[in-house]
Structure formats: structure tokens, C-alpha cells
Amino acid sequence: MKYGALGLIEVLGSSNAVLVVDQLLKAADVQFKTWNCKCGGHVTIFINGDVSAVTAAVDSVKNNPPCSVFNTAVISSPSDETAKWAEESAKKNNFA
């Protein structure tokens, strides 16, 4: 599994995660991959697409956040292990 890039955005709460996913998908040609919920209600959203699209989508949330955003990251050319982990997480969460 090869990804051009993997984008990650961390927010508090699933309602905020939905707002962020909506904004990400409207900002650039990216695909929602999955999300992971953590203890305390933090949700990390995963998107994928080509590097420029993922960067543009993540930047749109960083520059005009619809809620409080804790962390963001763009991983260009993620390792096969990282891509596999994202795929397994998507299947586990029924997003695949």
C-alpha cells in the first residue's frame, strides 16, 4: 500500500472530528481514511491523498479551525508499516 501522504489532525470530541473531516474534504482532493479515539475524548483523524492535497487540507484546518485543534501532521511517503497500520485501523473502525 503506497500513499502519497498521510495527514493527521487531533481534536477533542467526535462532533468536532466530523466538523474537521467535512472541512478537510471540501478543501482539497483527499480521502478520509479513519479516526482513532483516545482516552479523554481526543480524536485523531487520518486522511490520505497526494502530498500537495493533504498539505492544503491540513493547512485549511490549521489556518481556519472549526474547533480547537491540538496537533496536526503531514507525513509524505509514509513507510509501508505506517500505511499498513492506517489500513488496519480503517478496517477495525469499519471505514474500509
Side-chain angles (χ1 to χ4, degrees), residues 1 3 78-91:
M1 176 78 33
Y3 289 179
S79 70
D80 288 342
E81 293 82 7
T82 301
K84 181 180 175 186
W85 178 78
E87 288 294 322
E88 289 172 356
S89 179
K91 287 178 187 172

Side-chain angles (χ1 to χ4, degrees), residues 5 28 50-57:
D50 66 40
V51 176
S52 61
V54 170
T55 300

Side-chain angles (χ1 to χ4, degrees), residues 52-86:
S52 61
V54 170
T55 300
V58 170
D59 284 348
S60 80
V61 170
K62 285 172 50 177
N63 296 331
N64 189 23
C67 60
S68 183
V69 174
F70 293 96
N71 290 300
T72 65
V74 174
I75 304 170
S76 61
S77 301
S79 70
D80 288 342
E81 293 82 7
T82 301
K84 181 180 175 186
W85 178 78

Side-chain angles (χ1 to χ4, degrees), residues 38-58:
K38 299 175 188 157
C39 191
H42 284 252
V43 179
T44 304
I45 301 156
F46 294 77
I47 60 169
N48 68 302
D50 66 40
V51 176
S52 61
V54 170
T55 300
V58 170

Side-chain angles (χ1 to χ4, degrees), residues 4-66:
L6 190 62
L8 300 92
I9 301 91
E10 183 180 5
V11 299
L12 184 61
S14 57
S15 294
N16 286 332
V18 171
L19 291 172
V20 169
V21 168
D22 183 61
Q23 183 171 332
L24 291 164
L25 296 175
K26 289 175 180 175
D29 185 21
V30 295
Q31 295 77 43
F32 169 72
K33 196 69 197 163
T34 189
W35 66 22
N36 284 334
C37 298
K38 299 175 188 157
C39 191
H42 284 252
V43 179
T44 304
I45 301 156
F46 294 77
I47 60 169
N48 68 302
D50 66 40
V51 176
S52 61
V54 170
T55 300
V58 170
D59 284 348
S60 80
V61 170
K62 285 172 50 177
N63 296 331
N64 189 23

